[in-house]
Amino acid sequence: MRRYALGALAGVVALVAALLVLWPRDVEARPQVAESGRFRFELTPASTKSGSTTLDLRITDRAGNAAGGDVTVEPAMPLMGHALAPITAAPAEPGHYRVGDVGLFMAGQWEITVSLGTERVVIPLLLT
């Protein structure tokens, strides 16, 4: 009887340990950076969970000065064949743009194409 109790206790401990290791966690939303010939693009999502999110975008020239103009964002998930229509980013201040309510509806690897004039970069974004 004692042997079975110890076995059951060991099984419960192993199950709890496995859940702690394997349980899905949020990935911290960190800035993702890409550079073109003239600009540096820094994209920070409000969340790295799939669903609706806001994208914060900072654009500077090579000297670090705020860059301005018409900015569009095109989210795509090429491995799954998903793409969203281009979204115009709203300027918050010089060199700082926001794109709200972006429907990144599936977990996995997304590619966010950001365009400013003729400059385009692709920024990878992993969602959980």
Side-chain angles (χ1 to χ4, degrees), residues 29-32 42-59 71-76 84-92 95-105 110-115 121 123-127:
R30 287 183 276 176
Q32 304 295 315
E42 184 179 291
L43 178 83
T44 306
S47 171
T48 57
K49 288 189 136 310
S50 59
S52 183
T53 192
T54 298
L55 301 176
D56 187 72
L57 186 60
R58 295 190 181 270
I59 305 173
V71 176
T72 59
V73 174
E74 300 174 54
L84 302 179
I87 305 165
T88 301
H96 184 201
Y97 298 85
R98 283 231 165 91
V99 183
D101 198 29
V102 181
L104 304 177
F105 51 86
W110 285 81
E111 292 181 357
I112 312 297
T113 301
V114 181
S115 303
V121 294
I123 302 174
L125 181 62
L126 181 63
L127 300 181

Side-chain angles (χ1 to χ4, degrees), residues 13-97:
V13 169
L15 178 63
V16 168
L19 285 173
L20 287 174
V21 171
L22 299 175
W23 195 264
R25 296 184 184 109
D26 286 340
V27 177
E28 183 182 337
R30 287 183 276 176
Q32 304 295 315
V33 177
E35 294 184 352
S36 69
R38 296 176 45 209
F39 301 111
R40 180 179 192 269
F41 298 81
E42 184 179 291
L43 178 83
T44 306
S47 171
T48 57
K49 288 189 136 310
S50 59
S52 183
T53 192
T54 298
L55 301 176
D56 187 72
L57 186 60
R58 295 190 181 270
I59 305 173
T60 57
D61 62 17
R62 293 292 187 152
N65 302 311
D70 293 331
V71 176
T72 59
V73 174
E74 300 174 54
M77 192 178 210
L79 292 175
M80 301 303 286
H82 301 308
L84 302 179
I87 305 165
T88 301
E93 59 187 51
H96 184 201
Y97 298 85

